[in-house]
């Protein structure tokens, strides 16, 4: 819940006073996560800006909102409860003269503004329950992963912050490609060199595939490398990336059941085939995971990575969560 509200790109999906304005045109700024995240809009109901001023991870988010001539300070408070998260929204500020008249004629400021936030919270809950909990995992089976030259940055990250870090680093590498006229060739991906669930840490390389292998200049913080073609067990996750742990578990179970020998200097690779940059709804995302293996001699014919050979499939929906 906290992570969803903390991302400015999601605000338009649940803020009630924006949803009803079909003419609304919004603009995101470069930073959409955490302190400084900002969203502006204009439409038939007026113009406005929301910006995050400060936050405490998994606890609270403090924002300011300018809506026409009215100015508000908004505080989101998150508290874990049995089976979920309790979200409280508080707002204080100054209303414009015209808005004071409007609220006075329609039941008062507490009722009008309270209703706006109550309906926003209902939309937030509905959006999260469906979008986050609707997913499907399919173990595609054995494929041949093709040769891939790429640019990358490597570091150790908390597993819980990998996606957030990727949203910061991927644009930097893409900008590097554009500045140096390097042709990209595919979707961003992550090489998990290590993946330690006990410590919650992973050593990762955030990568952008490119058309031809290159060598970056000495001292550059963006490096170049190449993955040679290899055999892999491929698993597809359709839905939010938060279900990665289950996708990895099913992949490893498949490998064990088929008595396939792992053969890799890294844990696995995750490719963001369809991600937030393509579509905002998490239920529509697709992530492909590859586990490098050494096939048995009697293994059936390997299919190209673009083909799916379904072996097992698990599908869930909100009613089953």
């Amino acid at each position: 819940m906290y992570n969803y509200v903390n991302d400015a790109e999601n605000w338009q999906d649940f803020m009630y006073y924006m949803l009803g304005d079909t003419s609304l045109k919004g603009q995101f700024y470069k930073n959409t996560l955490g302190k400084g995240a900002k969203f502006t809009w204009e439409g038939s109901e007026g113009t406005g800006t929301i910006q995050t001023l400060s936050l405490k991870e998994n606890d609270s988010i403090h924002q300011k909102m300018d809506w026409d001539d009215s100015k508000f300070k908004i505080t989101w408070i998150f508290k874990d409860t049995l089976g979920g998260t309790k979200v409280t929204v508080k707002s204080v500020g100054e209303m414009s003269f015209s808005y004071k008249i409007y609220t006075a004629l329609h039941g008062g400021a507490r009722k009008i503004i309270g209703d706006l936030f109550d309906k926003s919270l209902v939309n937030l809950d509905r959006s999260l329950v469906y979008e986050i909990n609707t997913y499907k995992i399919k173990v595609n089976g054995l494929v041949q992963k093709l040769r891939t030259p790429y640019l990358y940055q490597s570091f150790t990250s908390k597993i819980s912050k990998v996606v957030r870090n990727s949203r910061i680093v991927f644009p930097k590498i893409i900008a590097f490609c554009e500045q140096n006229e390097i042709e990209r060739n595919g979707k961003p991906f992550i090489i998990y060199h290590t993946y330690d669930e006990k410590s919650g840490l992973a050593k990762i390389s955030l990568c952008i595939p490119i058309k031809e292998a290159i060598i970056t200049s000495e001292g550059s913080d963006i490096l170049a490398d190449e993955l040679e073609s290899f055999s892999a067990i491929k698993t597809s996750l359709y839905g939010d990336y938060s279900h990665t742990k289950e996708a990895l578990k099913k992949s490893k179970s498949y490998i064990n059941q088929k008595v396939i020998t792992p053969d890799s200097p890294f844990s696995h690779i995750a490719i963001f085939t369809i991600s937030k940059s393509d579509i905002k709804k998490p239920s529509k995302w697709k992530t492909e995971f590859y586990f490098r293996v050494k096939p048995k001699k009697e293994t059936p014919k390997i299919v190209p990575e673009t083909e799916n050979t379904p072996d097992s499939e698990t599908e869930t929906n909100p009613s089953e969560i």
Side-chain angles (χ1 to χ4, degrees):
M1 190 76 76
Y2 168 87
N3 290 331
Y4 192 81
V5 176
N6 187 38
D7 191 339
E9 291 191 37
N10 296 323
W11 296 345
Q12 192 174 339
D13 294 340
F14 64 87
M15 293 294 199
Y16 181 76
Y17 41 85
M18 300 182 196
L19 290 174
D21 191 347
T22 56
S23 67
L24 185 144
K25 295 180 180 179
Q27 178 182 353
F28 299 104
Y29 289 74
K30 186 175 182 180
N31 177 28
T32 62
L33 289 171
K35 183 178 179 180
K38 187 177 181 181
F39 175 72
T40 63
W41 74 92
E42 61 178 72
S44 60
E45 300 297 322
T47 61
T49 299
I50 303 179
Q51 185 172 11
T52 298
L53 301 176
S54 63
L55 65 163
K56 184 178 180 182
E57 189 167 357
N58 295 319
D59 178 84
S60 57
I61 299 173
H62 303 276
Q63 301 172 324
K64 69 174 181 178
M65 180 173 72
D66 295 340
W67 190 4
D68 286 339
D69 294 324
S70 299
K71 300 180 184 298
F72 302 95
K73 288 186 178 180
I74 303 170
T75 300
W76 299 80
I77 301 171
F78 305 86
K79 185 176 181 179
D80 289 336
T81 60
L82 186 63
T85 301
K86 179 182 178 181
V87 182
T88 303
V89 184
K90 297 181 179 180
S91 174
V92 296
E94 299 179 357
M95 294 184 294
S96 65
F97 180 73
S98 60
Y99 199 57
K100 285 179 181 179
I101 295 176
Y102 174 83
T103 57
L105 295 174
H106 293 82
R110 183 179 294 274
K111 179 181 184 303
I112 297 300
I113 296 175
D115 283 350
L116 288 177
F117 284 113
D118 284 344
K119 291 174 180 177
S120 294
L121 287 172
V122 170
N123 290 331
L124 173 62
D125 183 65
R126 183 185 297 121
S127 177
L128 278 173
V129 167
Y130 179 81
E131 289 298 332
I132 301 300
N133 293 332
T134 300
Y135 70 99
K136 179 176 67 175
I137 297 171
K138 178 186 292 185
V139 179
N140 305 95
L142 195 60
V143 301
Q144 188 68 23
K145 187 72 181 71
L146 303 180
R147 166 187 168 275
T148 308
Y150 61 93
L151 297 176
Y152 71 98
Q153 283 190 338
S154 297
F155 50 89
T156 297
S157 168
K158 287 184 178 180
I159 293 174
S160 61
K161 292 187 176 181
V162 166
V163 173
R164 178 177 179 178
N165 289 332
S166 72
R167 290 177 184 170
I168 297 171
V169 175
F170 283 150
K172 290 182 180 180
I173 303 177
I174 291 172
F176 180 87
C177 290
E178 293 173 350
Q179 292 165 7
N180 293 278
E181 298 183 347
I182 300 170
E183 186 176 357
R184 289 184 281 140
N185 187 36
K187 294 292 186 176
F189 65 95
I190 301 175
I191 300 175
Y192 284 88
H193 302 283
T194 62
Y195 189 93
D196 189 343
E197 291 186 36
K198 184 175 291 187
S199 67
L201 297 174
K203 184 177 179 181
I204 61 173
S205 290
L206 297 174
C207 313
I208 297 294
I210 56 178
K211 192 74 172 179
E212 300 292 340
I214 65 169
I215 299 175
T216 56
S217 59
E218 186 175 351
S220 172
D221 62 345
I222 295 177
L223 305 175
D225 205 342
E226 184 175 349
L227 282 172
E228 296 296 335
S229 178
F230 60 88
S231 299
I233 294 300
K234 173 184 173 182
T235 296
S236 298
L237 166 62
Y238 301 86
D240 188 74
Y241 199 74
S242 61
H243 302 292
T244 290
K245 185 175 180 180
E246 185 178 345
L248 300 183
K249 182 179 179 181
K250 290 188 178 296
S251 301
K252 293 174 182 177
S253 175
Y254 177 93
I255 291 171
N256 291 334
Q257 289 173 9
K258 298 296 182 180
V259 197
I260 302 174
T261 306
D263 178 34
S264 181
F266 51 79
S267 171
H268 60 279
I269 292 175
I271 301 178
F272 296 95
T273 309
I274 302 175
S275 65
K276 190 170 186 174
S277 61
D278 303 302
I279 186 170
K280 288 197 297 183
K281 294 184 177 181
S283 62
K284 304 297 183 182
W285 297 347
K286 180 182 180 182
T287 309
E288 296 175 344
F289 298 93
Y290 292 87
F291 295 79
R292 182 169 168 169
V293 296
K294 184 183 296 182
K296 298 185 298 182
K297 292 181 180 179
E298 62 272 22
T299 297
K301 180 182 177 182
I302 298 175
V303 299
E305 62 170 310
T306 53
E307 295 181 32
N308 290 338
T309 52
D311 182 86
S312 62
E313 181 173 339
T314 301
E315 185 169 0
T316 67
N317 56 57
S319 63
E320 296 174 332
I321 298 300

